Amino acid sequence: LILLNRPLLLLCLSQVIESVRQVCYSSLPFFYKHTLNRYGMKTYVEMASSALSYGGLLSVPFVGKKRSSRDIVVWGYLHTGICYLLLLIFGYKHLWLVGILIALGGLPNAAMSAARRILLADSTDYMEWKSYQKYGVAQRNEGMVFAFSTMVSRISALWKELLVNTGFALIGYQSAVSINGVMTEVVQTPQTLHGIFLLVAIPGIIGNLLPGIIMLFDNFTGKRKETIMSELEEIIAE
């Protein structure tokens, strides 16, 4: 039944690949502290990003009247991916531009989270319809769907940690060391400082654009979804 559930599989696949963009978020504090030498900037950018994100969440009821949940997720990914692509192109010479791009990148996050929950719930309807088409028996199991999604979330969390540690090892990042019982910061090389920037920008691009493209293949939306739901109502009525 899970293998029949195309919307669920695409949603979970995008979630696993989205782990790549979590490398970007994990690297941001190091970017502010070491590369920019402006750790206080972290607070202001995160406040702006959070405010924009909740503003995006408030827009969901209005946007949802014209766009499907899938579209919200797809355009959210693409929006954030473009912001980090611009960051990679323009670099980090201008702090104001860095702050604006990172803050704008957080705009769709809360709206996407809400839309993903809707898509997860909708996938149970698709599974019920598809199982009837395949086996002649409508099988619906919300518990199975949410359990599978939770398992994928845990796999994604582990994958993210592996990627973060590997990324910092590749750029030669050195952690603070203890000298005579006193923790001392290591001076990072220019190559490592630029490497931290790349750990922000590149995963921010890949971890958003690829999941966005994957979600475009979810065709349980628009008129097709309306047709399937009408058929499902008839099946249930029988």
Side-chain angles (χ1 to χ4, degrees):
L1 290 175
I2 291 294
L3 294 178
L4 292 176
N5 196 336
R6 176 172 174 162
L8 175 64
L9 293 176
L10 289 172
L11 191 64
C12 290
L13 178 60
S14 71
Q15 185 177 352
V16 171
I17 298 179
E18 186 190 317
S19 302
V20 176
R21 85 170 184 166
Q22 300 303 321
V23 175
C24 161
Y25 297 145
S26 297
S27 303
L28 277 173
F30 298 89
F31 178 56
Y32 294 126
K33 183 176 181 179
H34 297 292
T35 306
L36 299 181
N37 197 26
R38 294 287 189 279
Y39 192 67
M41 182 179 172
K42 175 177 180 289
T43 301
Y44 301 111
V45 175
E46 286 185 353
M47 286 175 60
S49 181
S50 297
L52 289 170
S53 180
Y54 284 111
L57 180 62
L58 291 174
S59 71
V60 169
F62 307 102
V63 176
K65 292 179 180 179
K66 296 183 177 180
R67 293 291 179 183
S68 67
S69 298
R70 188 210 67 170
D71 290 342
I72 292 174
V73 172
V74 168
W75 289 110
Y77 277 133
L78 297 181
H79 166 89
T80 304
I82 290 171
C83 286
Y84 282 97
L85 177 60
L86 292 174
L87 179 64
L88 180 64
I89 292 171
F90 291 109
Y92 48 92
K93 260 185 187 177
H94 306 291
L95 295 181
W96 61 271
L97 182 58
V98 171
I100 288 173
L101 289 174
I102 293 176
L104 284 175
L107 170 63
N109 286 349
M112 289 171 65
S113 180
R116 288 178 70 89
R117 289 189 178 92
I118 295 171
L119 289 175
L120 185 63
D122 285 349
S123 73
T124 61
D125 293 324
Y126 180 88
M127 185 170 72
E128 186 175 12
W129 172 81
K130 190 66 176 180
S131 63
Y132 184 82
Q133 300 298 316
K134 183 82 173 177
Y135 301 117
V137 179
Q139 295 288 342
R140 183 184 184 89
N141 194 320
E142 290 89 347
M144 182 191 300
V145 168
F146 284 93
F148 185 80
S149 175
T150 300
M151 180 187 70
V152 171
S153 296
R154 296 186 182 279
I155 292 172
S156 299
L158 173 62
W159 173 234
K160 182 208 78 170
E161 294 301 329
L162 292 173
L163 287 174
V164 170
N165 292 332
T166 301
F168 275 92
L170 288 174
I171 65 171
Y173 179 81
Q174 298 293 317
S175 302
V177 295
S178 178
I179 301 176
N180 296 325
V182 178
M183 295 302 295
T184 305
E185 289 284 349
V186 175
V187 178
Q188 309 296 332
T189 65
Q191 292 81 4
T192 298
L193 295 177
H194 185 66
I196 294 173
F197 166 68
L198 296 179
L199 282 182
V200 170
I202 294 176
I205 297 168
I206 296 173
N208 282 289
L209 295 185
L210 280 183
I213 293 170
I214 287 170
M215 289 304 297
L216 284 173
F217 290 94
D218 179 5
N219 58 6
F220 186 48
T221 186
K223 291 184 178 180
R224 185 169 188 271
K225 180 180 177 181
E226 292 175 5
T227 302
I228 289 175
M229 293 305 294
S230 297
E231 291 179 11
L232 185 58
E233 287 178 8
E234 294 177 5
I235 292 168
I236 294 172
E238 292 176 0

